[in-house]
């Protein structure tokens, strides 16, 4: 049990409710059906079982639609569900997902732990839990990922920026003695554009060319550049590796390539 509430069932749903009237209803439906459409005794058990399951699911669906959860109840149940699915950082994922759904930060969740979730928020949270238990990356559910202190939009069309990739930013910046000087940078396979955008934010006079073979990935990168106000200093080109650079007269003019 969690906070006095029954644990989730094996399917991750809300606690199953099985009052006596549900059991009686299931049995009576089987008996009524047998009087109207007689079947062999050997089939009676199966019929009653199916009738009971029908009543069981019907009542559970009704209960699920009216049960309202508080913030802490929702977090605890999500944590239980993620732990059962062997998802690392179960508690953290639960809090991050709920904070995203209700558009608050994690501190707010703590200070409002006894607030009741709105129906729409609870439905959206349930949908997010289903996606996460199917091993969909948390960043794809949230639609963003933090990198170099900036929030980047991510979709299934790009790789999720990883913390160790920030070492590339550090290495590139170490090559620039004066951050106000004009430098030309090429970012191959830009993906979400996290490297190109981060360098553009750090180097105010930099001019960057970012390439990618995926049109959809470039759309995400352009959006991230727009969000962070550096779209006018990054040129996005579609093509594999150096291919889109062949028609440009930039030989000997590139300072950094990442």
């Amino acid at each position: 049990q969690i906070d006095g509430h029954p644990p989730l069932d094996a399917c991750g749903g809300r606690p199953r409710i099985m009052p006596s009237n549900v059991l009686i209803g299931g049995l009576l439906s089987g008996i009524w059906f047998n009087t109207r459409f007689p079947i062999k005794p050997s089939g009676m058990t199966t019929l009653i079982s199916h009738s009971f399951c029908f009543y069981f699911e019907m009542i559970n669906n009704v209960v699920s639609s009216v049960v309202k959860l508080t913030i802490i109840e929702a977090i605890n149940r999500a944590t239980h569900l993620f732990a059962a699915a062997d998802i690392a950082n179960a508690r953290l994922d639960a809090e991050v997902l709920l904070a995203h759904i209700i558009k608050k930060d994690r501190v707010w969740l703590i200070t409002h732990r006894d607030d009741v979730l709105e129906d729409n928020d609870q439905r959206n949270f349930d949908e997010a839990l289903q996606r996460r238990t199917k091993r969909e990356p948390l960043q794809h559910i949230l639609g963003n990922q933090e990198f170099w202190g900036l929030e980047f939009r991510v979709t299934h069309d790009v790789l999720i920026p990883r913390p160790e990739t920030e070492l590339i930013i550090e290495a590139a910046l170490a090559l620039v003695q004066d951050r106000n000087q004009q430098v030309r940078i090429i970012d191959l396979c830009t993906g979400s554009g996290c490297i190109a955008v981060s360098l553009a934010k750090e180097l105010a006079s930099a001019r960057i060319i970012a390439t990618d073979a995926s049109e959809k990935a470039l759309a995400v990168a352009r959006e991230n550049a727009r969000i962070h106000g550096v779209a006018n200093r990054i040129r996005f080109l579609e093509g594999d590796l150096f291919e889109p650079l062949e028609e440009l007269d930039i030989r000997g003019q590139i300072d950094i390539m990442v």
Side-chain angles (χ1 to χ4, degrees), residues 1-181:
Q1 288 188 334
I2 300 177
D3 284 1
H5 291 273
L8 297 172
D9 63 17
C11 298
R14 291 189 177 86
R16 298 295 185 175
I17 308 299
M18 192 166 54
S20 59
N21 61 319
V22 175
L23 177 60
I24 295 173
L27 292 174
L28 290 178
S29 68
I31 295 173
W32 174 86
F33 188 93
N34 189 48
T35 59
R36 298 292 301 275
F37 308 98
I39 58 176
K40 295 180 180 180
S42 59
M44 189 60 185
T45 301
T46 300
L47 176 63
I48 292 177
S49 175
H50 287 176
S51 300
F52 171 74
C53 288
F54 169 77
Y55 269 78
F56 181 76
E57 290 299 324
M58 181 180 68
I59 295 300
N60 182 69
N61 289 338
V62 172
V63 171
S64 296
S65 66
V66 298
V67 170
K68 293 183 178 294
L69 299 178
T70 63
I71 296 292
I72 190 61
E73 288 171 344
I75 291 174
N76 285 340
R77 291 182 179 226
T79 301
H80 181 96
L81 182 62
F82 290 162
D86 198 28
I87 292 176
N89 304 314
R91 180 78 179 195
L92 177 61
D93 279 14
E95 292 179 357
V96 170
L97 270 179
L98 185 56
H100 171 74
I101 293 296
I102 64 177
K103 297 178 175 57
K104 302 290 184 181
D105 58 31
R106 291 172 59 204
V107 174
W108 189 93
L109 298 182
I110 296 173
T111 57
H112 295 77
R113 53 177 285 154
D114 294 323
D115 287 10
V116 176
L117 282 177
E118 297 290 338
D119 291 344
N120 190 55
D121 289 337
Q122 186 165 318
R123 283 192 297 269
N124 291 336
F125 188 51
D126 288 342
E127 292 175 2
L129 297 186
Q130 292 178 19
R131 293 172 64 184
R132 186 67 184 113
T133 54
K134 293 177 181 177
R135 319 301 293 187
E136 183 174 351
L138 181 65
Q139 294 87 344
H140 285 165
I141 300 174
L142 300 177
N144 60 70
Q145 168 67 6
E146 188 273 338
F147 180 85
W148 199 252
L150 305 171
E151 285 291 329
F152 285 87
R153 177 172 173 256
V154 295
T155 70
H156 293 276
D157 299 308
V158 300
L159 295 177
I160 298 169
R162 298 183 61 82
E164 55 267 30
T165 305
E166 294 184 354
L167 296 175
I168 296 177
I169 305 296
E170 294 178 0
L173 293 177
L175 298 174
V176 182
Q177 295 182 349
D178 181 2
R179 295 196 178 187
N180 292 316
Q181 74 182 78

Side-chain angles (χ1 to χ4, degrees), residues 239-255:
D240 188 30
L241 295 174
F242 298 96
E243 178 185 343
L245 304 176
E246 295 176 356
E247 298 181 0
L248 302 180
D249 185 18
I250 57 175
R251 188 180 298 274
Q253 301 179 38
I254 302 303
D255 301 297

Side-chain angles (χ1 to χ4, degrees), residues 152-155 157-158 190-193 197 210-227 231 236-238:
F152 285 87
R153 177 172 173 256
V154 295
T155 70
D157 299 308
V158 300
T190 190
S192 67
V197 171
T211 72
D212 202 288
S214 169
E215 180 181 355
K216 292 182 178 180
L218 286 175
V220 175
R222 288 191 181 96
E223 176 66 9
N224 283 322
R226 184 195 65 78
I227 290 172
F236 295 99
L237 300 176
E238 182 180 350

